[in-house]
Amino acid sequence: MLKLFRILSVLEGGSYLVILSVTMGVISRDFVFMLGMTHGVLFIAYLMLSLLVSNKQGWSLFVWLGLFLASIVPLAFLPVEWFLRKEAENTAAVAAPA
């Protein structure tokens, strides 16, 4: 589930940057509805999956709040990806027999 959350995190962050590109005039406003709907679905999926993963991993409320705040700050998905990669490595190291 952590791997799926990592993928979704990058997709959601990328879609947020695309939406911001529309407001800056880089992308035509003809695509606003399609891009907005895609980003909205990814954002809601990100929030739901962040709750599930936080519960499964045993993360504190502060970690989840950090994940939530990262979803509304441009380019914050990059530190989240680094954090999730580190968590995945830690989980794999604990799961692997010594």
Side-chain angles (χ1 to χ4, degrees), residues 13-14 27 29 31 35-36 44 49 62 67-68 72 76 80-81 90:
I27 297 176
R29 294 193 180 269
F31 302 105
L35 296 173
I44 291 173
L49 200 54
F62 293 110
L67 292 173
F68 172 72
I72 56 176
V80 167
E81 171 57 24
N90 290 343

Side-chain angles (χ1 to χ4, degrees), residues 3-49:
K3 184 177 181 179
L4 176 63
F5 184 58
R6 286 179 63 193
I7 293 168
L8 185 62
S9 172
V10 171
L11 288 175
E12 192 275 332
S15 73
Y16 189 42
L17 293 178
V18 170
I19 289 289
L20 291 177
S21 298
V22 171
T23 51
M24 293 186 331
V26 176
I27 297 176
S28 171
R29 294 193 180 269
D30 297 336
F31 302 105
V32 169
F33 179 78
M34 179 183 61
L35 296 173
M37 286 295 285
T38 303
H39 173 68
V41 168
L42 289 172
F43 180 75
I44 291 173
Y46 175 88
L47 290 180
M48 293 297 130
L49 200 54

Side-chain angles (χ1 to χ4, degrees), residues 62-83:
F62 293 110
V63 173
W64 182 81
L65 284 174
L67 292 173
F68 172 72
L69 289 175
S71 70
I72 56 176
V73 175
L75 296 176
F77 69 93
L78 296 174
V80 167
E81 171 57 24
W82 294 326
F83 169 75

